[in-house]
Structures are given as C-alpha cells and as structure tokens.
Amino acid sequence: MPKRDGRALARVIATNAERDAVAVQKMAPDPELADEVVGLHAQQAAEKYLKAVLAHRGITYRRVHSITYLLGLLADHDVAPPPRAPLSRPPPTRR
C-alpha cells in the first residue's frame, strides 16, 4: 500500500477534528446532554487536531486515545504544541 502524503492526511484528520469541534459547540449549551458526551467529542477533536499536526510533520504515532501521548510526541520532535484557542465567550454553565 503506498504511503499517504502527510499533508493530505493532515487535511483529512483536521477536517474530522473540525466536525467534532462543531458538535461540541452545538451540544455544550444543551442541559439535557451529559457532560461525558460533550467531553468525549471535545477530547476526540483535540486528539484529531494533534494527530493532524503530527501527520503534517511526517511524525508517526500509535493509534491511541491519549492527549498526553500525542503532546509527548510533539515535544520529542521539538514541535511546539498548538496554542490554546481563546474563548469567544465563557463556557456554558452545566448542571
């Protein structure tokens, strides 16, 4: 199987991350949704964004669900982690 271009793969992964991020934005204000459901999608978005950076840089990674592991790989390769996104508004209060 031919090796995928890192930039093309990064675009695919980033697109999937953005879908999860949009889901989080739409679900977060809904008090009927459990925090765990919203949090799962938030974690997935963060992991996918980090994997997109790694793919773009040509850094291989294991198929895991660990933000700590992915951040460690970035550090191991002297790649600064992405900056925190500023909140445009305070997060919703959940009950």
Side-chain angles (χ1 to χ4, degrees):
M1 186 162 130
K3 188 175 179 181
R4 289 183 80 172
D5 172 50
R7 290 184 182 198
L9 178 58
R11 280 191 294 275
V12 170
I13 297 169
T15 297
N16 291 335
E18 187 62 25
R19 289 180 182 142
D20 280 323
V22 168
V24 169
Q25 289 175 337
K26 291 183 181 232
M27 291 188 301
D30 188 339
E32 293 184 20
L33 290 175
D35 290 343
E36 294 83 3
V37 173
V38 178
L40 172 69
H41 287 280
Q43 179 176 343
Q44 287 291 301
E47 289 175 7
K48 289 173 187 172
Y49 280 128
L50 293 173
K51 288 176 181 179
V53 172
L54 291 165
H56 187 267
R57 295 290 187 122
I59 301 168
T60 57
Y61 53 87
R62 295 189 325 262
R63 293 183 67 144
V64 296
H65 296 290
S66 172
I67 292 172
T68 303
Y69 164 74
L70 298 170
L71 287 171
L73 276 179
L74 291 175
D76 290 347
H77 290 86
D78 295 322
V79 178
R84 288 181 160 200
L87 293 174
S88 58
R89 57 192 159 102
T93 302
R94 298 197 45 104
R95 294 181 186 184

